[in-house]
Amino acid sequence: MLNCDVATIDLTPLPLLLNNTAANTSLLADTHDTEQLLIDIPKWLSQINDDISRALERGVNIRQLVAARACAIDRLLTALFTWFELDKTDLALFATGGYGRGELSLYSDIDILLLYPDEMSADTNQKIDRLVALLWDIGLEPALSVRSVNDALEAALDHTIASAQLEARLLIGNEALQQTPIQIVNKQWSPRDFYDVKVAEARERYLQHNATEYNLEPNIKTAPGGLRDIHLVGWVTKRYFRVSKLYDLVQQNFLTEKEFDELSFAEGYLWQIRHYLHVLTGRNENKLLFDYQREIAQLMGYETQPDDEPNAAVERFMRDYYRCAMKISTLSEMLTNHYYETIIESHLPDAERPKKQPINAHFNQIGDQIAMSHHRVFAQHPEAILEMFLLMGQHGIKNVRTHTLRALKIAARGIDQVYRDNPVHQALFLANLKEQNYLFHRLRTMNRCGVLGSYIPAFAQVTGLMQYDLFHRYTVDAHTLFLIRILHRFTDPRFYEDFPLVSSIFQRIERKEILVLAAMFHDIAKGRGGNHSELGETESIEFCLAHGMSLADANLVGWLTRYHLLMSMTAQKKDISDPEVVTIFANLVGNVTHLNHLYVLTVADMNATNPQLWNSWRATLMKQLYSQTRRILRADIDAPTNRQDMISATRKQTLEMLDNVKNQHMNRDEVLRLWDDLGDEYFLREIAEDILWHTEAILNHPPIGLASNADSPPLVVLREHRELALDAVQVFVYTQDQMNLFAVTMAVFDQMNLDVLDARIITATRDFALDSYVLLDPSGTLLVDEDSQQELKQRLINAFKDPTVLKLTNKRMPRQLKHFEVTTVINFEFNDASDQHIMSLETLDQPGLLARVGQVFLQQKIEVHAARITTLGERAEDMFYISDQNDEPLSTDRLDALKSALIESLSTQKATVT
């Protein structure tokens, strides 16, 4: 039984349960009114839960409160065990799992085991059935196992059951069986087998959570850095040391006092989050969804300050959570490795033990790990802190022995300004960045052990820092290290097909540490207010100069830091088919060296921000901008430098592809005549591959708009487009232009639950629309279901014939999106080249967004000539080329009216949760 005397909660049962008799020691003594029990026990449990919540508000330590709830359940179960006269049998009642450890949150699973020696009588079995029924009736829903000793032996072959039995704690009953659950585990599992299976389970669990502590909606129990990582340490060590509490490992000299304190604090922090999750949901909820993050932040005391940004409080809360999770996962990994090194290795045959080889006077290599040669290496030779990581790169060593990691964490606390100003240390740090082998893994270890944050204090400030949105998937420190990992992938043949141009450029860059430094500083000033790119530029230049780098190199790192967003913003938010846009970008870049470095950094940055948002569309935009800019900077006389040159180049490339296509039946003269009718904008905005596909489809379709083919329907063709998404579909529409074309097309897509990922709306010279869309099919059936394809085609054709705009479907707002506030921002810019306005729209990526925008365009009599659709997490950033119905520019009054109508339409959409 637990010691419940220290609990701060009054566990005295209700008078009715005590039968108003002070002498009664049993919770349910002499009470035979079962119906009354079903009323009174839940009331009592509810009161206990309320008392726990109030105690937490008063500042009582959460550790006492989870123990108090376990004590309450102990008292209830032992009373019920006696009530049903099971104390007169040879049964033993055990608490197992987390309950066995004495840890119960409000709605935690209550794992119990009823163990008996040999056989059970029918009468005992009936009593157990009545007990279980009562527990369910009062709302406990226990995870109950009833086993004989032999059954328990067989069941313990399952390592999850064995783990629960390791925590077994006798509540009441047959004391002769008190040690039986643990003895069974010891009999069925050797220390090494149990270690191996639990570590393998942890690896699989990590993969289920993307192998990172930094999930946007983490599971505080099973994700990396969650409670399970603490449990893992307990399981593998309890099997060997046979201890009952984590602190007992300190007395065994396996765990240091500081490590125990760190684990204990982090565990308490997660318990507190878990408590509020249970309060808010009324169930055993462990996933920290966006639905709860703001409210839990407030409940835990994270308040918004007067000068804060809107999400500052929840971002501070999640930063502390991520730091806590990183500390837990680091300690869990270190301690399980320590167990292997100190316990498992000593029992291995000589042939299986890792061999020790000296590297230098300070370090040895033991198997695939590095280890200090004696325990005072870091104290006597502070430069060895950075020397060790350099040796790991030079010798291809990925891991560090536990005793060395422990010493390293202590030594990292001594890194101060004097250490940072030492030229020897500065040279070693730069040498680490120049050494590319295992650079990500070395920096990751530096970060986890506190070396990186101590050497670059600004990096410590962004550790665990997150942005409360769906676009930035990782914390700033994790994103930065992932970016460096992706830079290394540009040298890996396995990734060459994914990044052919970028890889070839990166491999030709000799000073790769320039890009690594730019990566480390590009986001280092986030969270401070102001322009993080400009602040980062200043800090990066100061860092480089302080480390003896040339002014030219320092300025290049600073320039990359300041303009690291320039290329992605230009490619995604501006019309790069306009030569003037590219020329302005080229002037900002200045030279090919800057361009090469910026291109590589930008592609790595975009992938490291959110890999799911990197696709062939963005890759094509980046490559197009890079190629056009490079030609301008190199003054390539054969390169297209204006609109007409770009059009000619695209036509030439497509003709070359046409000539190389085998078994094609298109007549070259017919192709050229058709192209002359399609207009300049078409060849500026479409790529050669798609032009070839469109051309063949148009020539194989009966001519549209001629008297002899008056009944010829619009052309609608589909094909898969898996580069943008797994179930993406490319749709090409060729029909006579009409006022409501964009609106009705978007309405049809909306009705069929198809999301638009990309759109090109182009009007040919003879008033024909050439519209190309890339759609995402959430159901995943459009590519394989001919009936769905035919339905989409027919709906579009019917909609084009009927000028009435289809009614929009009433879609619910996805759960995640409802927690984000994105202010709708609309801007207009006049484009002289096209004599049209460019409307940029930033708003929440709500369901049916484009259909709603299309309706407003129709109501305001706006003609859409082109569109670019961009989704960045919860934010939509779309661009439309617009005019009036006569292809004339819009007046200021009409632009103001359009803006007002759009804001009203988008703000009135009801956001109901799925």
Side-chain angles (χ1 to χ4, degrees):
M1 290 286 291
L2 289 172
N3 178 11
C4 296
D5 295 335
V6 298
T8 61
I9 304 302
D10 182 10
L11 300 180
T12 304
L14 294 175
L16 179 63
L17 299 181
L18 283 170
N19 203 26
N20 292 315
T21 306
N24 288 331
T25 57
S26 169
L27 178 66
L28 305 172
D30 301 327
T31 301
H32 298 283
D33 188 350
T34 303
E35 291 184 1
Q36 191 64 42
L37 289 181
L38 296 180
I39 297 173
D40 293 334
I41 295 178
K43 282 184 179 180
W44 179 70
L45 288 171
S46 178
Q47 184 63 52
I48 294 294
N49 289 350
D50 291 343
D51 289 347
I52 288 174
S53 294
R54 282 192 291 270
L56 188 60
E57 292 174 5
R58 296 196 308 269
V60 176
N61 190 295
I62 187 66
R63 189 169 298 278
Q64 293 178 276
L65 299 177
V66 295
R69 173 150 176 86
C71 283
I73 300 302
D74 282 0
R75 292 197 175 187
L76 176 61
L77 291 179
T78 54
L80 289 175
F81 192 86
T82 303
W83 169 255
F84 286 105
E85 299 182 338
L86 292 171
D87 58 327
K88 299 176 182 178
T89 68
D90 56 1
L91 283 172
L93 176 63
F94 291 90
T96 62
Y99 177 34
R101 292 190 299 271
E103 304 166 1
L104 277 184
S105 294
L106 299 187
Y107 295 99
S108 294
D109 293 334
I110 299 174
D111 298 319
I112 51 180
L113 169 65
L114 279 169
L115 192 64
Y116 57 96
D118 297 311
E119 294 186 6
M120 185 190 301
S121 68
D123 179 61
T124 300
N125 195 48
Q126 289 178 356
K127 292 177 180 179
I128 292 174
D129 288 343
R130 289 161 54 201
L131 168 65
V132 173
L134 180 61
L135 291 175
W136 278 85
D137 288 342
I138 63 177
L140 279 186
E141 301 181 10
L144 171 66
S145 300
V146 182
R147 296 189 180 107
S148 67
V149 172
N150 287 334
D151 291 338
L153 271 167
E154 184 175 351
L157 292 172
D158 182 329
H159 67 88
T160 57
I161 295 176
S163 301
Q165 288 189 191
L166 272 178
E167 317 278 15
R169 175 170 57 88
L170 181 66
L171 298 179
I172 190 173
N174 190 345
E175 293 186 359
L177 298 177
Q178 182 168 1
Q179 298 300 319
T180 301
I182 296 176
Q183 291 169 351
I184 286 173
V185 176
N186 293 338
K187 181 177 181 179
Q188 299 292 59
W189 291 92
S190 70
R192 180 172 186 181
D193 287 343
F194 194 67
Y195 170 87
D196 288 342
V197 74
K198 298 314 292 184
V199 170
E201 178 191 42
R203 288 197 197 100
E204 183 177 347
R205 172 168 54 83
Y206 268 45
L207 291 175
Q208 292 172 352
H209 297 276
N210 306 311
T212 178
E213 300 89 350
Y214 302 127
N215 292 288
L216 292 176
E217 295 182 311
N219 186 309
I220 64 169
K221 184 176 181 180
T222 60
L227 292 167
R228 271 285 179 263
D229 279 0
I230 300 176
H231 302 159
L232 174 64
V233 175
W235 289 331
V236 298
T237 54
K238 286 176 183 177
R239 168 62 189 84
Y240 180 81
F241 292 110
R242 301 181 184 182
V243 295
S244 60
K245 300 187 298 293
L246 205 58
Y247 186 75
D248 294 338
L249 296 175
V250 177
Q251 298 172 327
Q252 296 280 349
N253 294 320
F254 179 83
L255 194 65
T256 68
E257 287 275 3
K258 181 170 179 56
E259 288 165 352
F260 172 79
D261 289 342
E262 289 178 347
L263 277 179
S264 182
F265 174 83
E267 183 179 51
Y269 189 80
L270 295 190
W271 276 347
Q272 193 167 349
I273 296 174
R274 195 182 191 200
H275 172 85
Y276 288 125
L277 275 173
H278 287 197
V279 170
L280 292 177
T281 62
R283 63 177 183 274
N284 186 9
E285 176 63 71
N286 295 301
K287 196 165 185 181
L288 191 53
L289 301 176
F290 288 119
D291 307 53
Y292 318 126
Q293 289 176 11
R294 286 185 188 275
E295 194 165 356
I296 289 179
Q298 184 178 1
L299 289 168
M300 294 188 67
Y302 293 85
E303 297 180 355
T304 302
Q305 303 302 319
D307 297 332
D308 276 347
E309 295 293 327
N311 297 322
V314 68
E315 287 178 355
R316 281 195 290 268
F317 162 57
M318 292 304 296
R319 177 199 62 194
D320 288 349
Y321 165 79
Y322 290 130
R323 288 179 175 181
C324 173
M326 186 175 77
K327 185 168 292 186
I328 290 174
S329 62
T330 301
L331 282 170
S332 180
E333 180 182 359
M334 186 184 76
L335 292 171
T336 51
N337 287 340
H338 180 47
Y339 177 84
Y340 182 87
E341 294 165 16
T342 57
I343 307 300
I344 305 295
E345 276 186 8
S346 62
H347 294 87
L348 293 176
D350 290 342
E352 294 184 28
R353 293 186 188 180
K355 302 298 184 290
K356 181 166 76 174
Q357 297 177 334
I359 298 176
N360 62 15
H362 297 157
F363 297 98
N364 300 315
Q365 181 172 349
I366 302 178
D368 62 350
Q369 299 173 305
I370 196 169
M372 55 187 181
S373 58
H374 59 86
H375 72 282
R376 292 190 58 79
V377 164
F378 296 130
Q380 296 176 354
H381 306 279
E383 74 279 1
I385 296 173
L386 297 174
E387 177 195 22
M388 185 192 79
F389 291 102
L390 180 58
L391 291 172
M392 290 172 68
Q394 293 171 341
H395 292 265
I397 302 172
K398 192 175 179 180
N399 302 306
V400 184
R401 295 285 282 191
T402 303
H403 74 286
T404 303
L405 274 177
R406 279 176 157 162
L408 182 66
K409 290 178 68 176
I410 296 172
R413 299 175 205 147
I415 296 177
D416 54 13
Q417 194 58 47
V418 174
Y419 186 99
R420 293 187 284 270
D421 289 340
N422 189 312
V424 173
H425 302 158
Q426 292 174 344
L428 280 169
F429 189 82
L430 284 184
N432 265 289
L433 300 188
K434 293 178 183 178
E435 174 56 64
Q436 296 292 299
N437 195 28
Y438 283 142
L439 179 57
F440 163 76
H441 297 282
R442 291 184 285 125
L443 290 174
R444 180 175 179 268
T445 303
M446 283 188 191
N447 191 36
R448 286 174 171 259
C449 293
V451 173
L452 195 55
S454 295
Y455 194 83
I456 306 178
F459 197 84
Q461 295 180 37
V462 296
T463 298
L465 182 65
M466 56 88 73
Q467 289 178 244
Y468 190 73
D469 59 37
L470 296 176
F471 178 60
H472 296 87
R473 182 170 175 177
Y474 306 108
T475 61
V476 175
D477 59 315
H479 161 72
T480 299
L481 298 184
F482 191 25
L483 196 164
I484 293 171
R485 187 178 202 177
I486 291 173
L487 287 175
H488 180 72
R489 288 178 179 175
F490 296 156
T491 65
D492 190 332
R494 293 176 298 174
F495 295 95
Y496 183 79
E497 289 187 5
D498 297 329
F499 308 102
L501 179 59
V502 185
S503 296
S504 64
I505 294 171
F506 182 66
Q507 291 176 36
R508 292 197 302 269
I509 293 176
E510 185 176 351
R511 303 284 307 284
K512 292 180 172 58
E513 70 272 15
I514 298 289
L515 278 166
V516 173
L517 279 164
M520 294 191 68
F521 280 90
H522 80 292
D523 278 348
I524 206 163
K526 278 192 170 180
R528 302 188 207 166
N531 187 314
H532 79 278
S533 299
E534 294 179 2
L535 294 172
E537 176 190 27
T538 302
E539 292 191 14
S540 64
I541 292 175
E542 290 176 353
F543 183 90
C544 292
L545 293 176
H547 282 68
M549 296 177 67
S550 69
L551 181 60
D553 286 345
N555 285 336
L556 177 53
V557 172
W559 184 89
L560 289 168
T561 301
R562 178 168 184 170
Y563 292 105
H564 70 274
L565 296 173
L566 174 64
M567 195 169 193
S568 61
M569 293 299 99
T570 301
Q572 294 183 98
K573 292 190 174 183
K574 293 186 180 296
D575 182 10
I576 59 174
S577 63
D578 184 344
E580 184 178 349
V581 171
V582 181
T583 300
I584 293 172
F585 174 76
N587 290 336
L588 284 171
V589 172
N591 58 61
V592 174
T593 298
H594 280 137
L595 177 65
N596 286 340
H597 283 75
L598 182 61
Y599 180 43
V600 171
L601 179 65
T602 303
V603 173
D605 188 21
M606 293 174 75
N607 277 271
T609 300
N610 192 329
Q612 294 178 338
L613 298 178
W614 176 256
N615 50 47
S616 67
W617 174 70
R618 288 186 170 93
T620 299
L621 289 176
M622 294 292 298
K623 182 179 179 180
Q624 180 182 343
L625 179 57
Y626 171 81
S627 301
Q628 293 174 0
T629 306
R630 189 172 187 272
R631 291 179 187 132
I632 293 174
L633 294 174
R634 294 189 62 182
D636 189 344
I637 59 174
D638 295 324
T641 57
N642 56 49
R643 292 170 62 89
Q644 199 54 49
D645 290 341
M646 294 172 68
I647 292 166
S648 299
T650 302
R651 288 175 64 127
K652 179 181 178 182
Q653 182 185 2
T654 312
L655 278 175
E656 290 173 353
M657 291 178 63
L658 175 67
D659 293 337
N660 292 329
V661 175
K662 294 181 180 179
N663 300 322
Q664 65 88 11
H665 305 292
M666 288 183 282
N667 180 281
R668 188 184 181 95
D669 292 335
E670 289 183 357
V671 168
L672 293 175
R673 283 196 297 271
L674 172 63
W675 286 1
D676 288 339
D677 286 336
L678 296 185
D680 290 348
E681 288 295 318
Y682 178 76
F683 290 95
L684 278 171
R685 301 186 184 283
E686 292 288 0
I687 61 175
E689 181 184 4
D690 286 349
I691 292 172
L692 198 62
W693 174 49
H694 299 166
T695 301
E696 183 175 12
I698 293 172
L699 291 178
N700 288 334
H701 189 75
I704 301 171
L706 299 180
S708 57
N709 292 281
D711 296 329
S712 178
L715 170 65
V716 180
V717 289
L718 287 72
R719 69 174 180 180
E720 70 177 13
H721 190 87
R722 292 185 179 271
E723 290 83 0
L724 278 187
L726 185 62
D727 293 309
V729 182
Q730 190 170 7
V731 178
F732 173 60
V733 175
Y734 177 65
T735 186
Q736 287 184 303
D737 193 30
Q738 60 188 65
M739 181 183 64
N740 62 341
L741 193 60
F742 177 77
V744 297
T745 303
M746 293 301 107
V748 169
F749 292 157
D750 182 61
Q751 285 193 337
M752 293 194 67
N753 197 32
L754 298 169
D755 298 325
V756 180
L757 300 181
D758 188 20
R760 293 186 182 93
I761 296 98
I762 301 168
T763 303
T765 54
R766 56 190 180 97
D767 291 331
F768 272 74
L770 301 118
D771 297 349
S772 182
Y773 305 93
V774 178
L775 310 176
L776 182 63
D777 174 23
S779 65
T781 60
L782 188 58
L783 286 173
V784 296
D785 184 1
E786 291 186 5
D787 290 339
S788 295
Q789 295 175 18
Q790 190 58 41
E791 181 185 0
L792 173 59
K793 293 178 182 179
Q794 197 58 51
R795 282 197 182 203
L796 286 170
I797 292 170
N798 293 340
F800 297 155
K801 292 178 181 178
D802 185 352
T804 303
V805 179
L806 301 175
K807 183 179 179 181
L808 298 183
T809 57
N810 186 20
K811 293 184 179 179
R812 292 181 175 181
M813 184 77 74
R815 176 188 59 80
Q816 287 186 331
L817 290 181
K818 85 178 186 74
H819 302 289
F820 297 97
E821 295 182 7
V822 179
T823 302
T824 298
V825 178
I826 300 171
N827 290 309
F828 300 100
E829 178 185 346
F830 187 71
N831 183 270
D832 292 319
S834 63
D835 202 31
Q836 298 161 353
H837 279 91
I838 303 173
M839 187 192 88
S840 61
L841 169 66
E842 295 184 17
T843 191
L844 183 69
D845 183 33
Q846 52 195 272
L849 171 63
L850 290 176
R852 192 170 294 273
V853 171
Q855 276 201 335
V856 173
F857 283 158
L858 183 63
Q859 293 163 2
Q860 297 290 318
K861 299 181 179 179
I862 302 297
E863 184 77 17
V864 180
H865 299 275
R868 173 171 294 172
I869 310 303
T870 305
T871 303
L872 303 173
E874 76 285 354
R875 183 185 300 272
E877 299 185 359
D878 302 336
M879 186 170 65
F880 304 90
Y881 283 71
I882 58 176
S883 71
D884 68 11
Q885 292 173 294
N886 299 317
D887 295 336
E888 294 294 329
L890 297 165
S891 66
T892 302
D893 289 343
R894 293 198 63 184
L895 292 175
D896 290 341
L898 172 60
K899 181 176 181 178
S900 298
L902 282 168
I903 291 176
E904 181 182 359
S905 175
L906 298 179
S907 63
T908 55
Q909 182 180 13
K910 294 181 179 179
T912 53
V913 187
T914 54

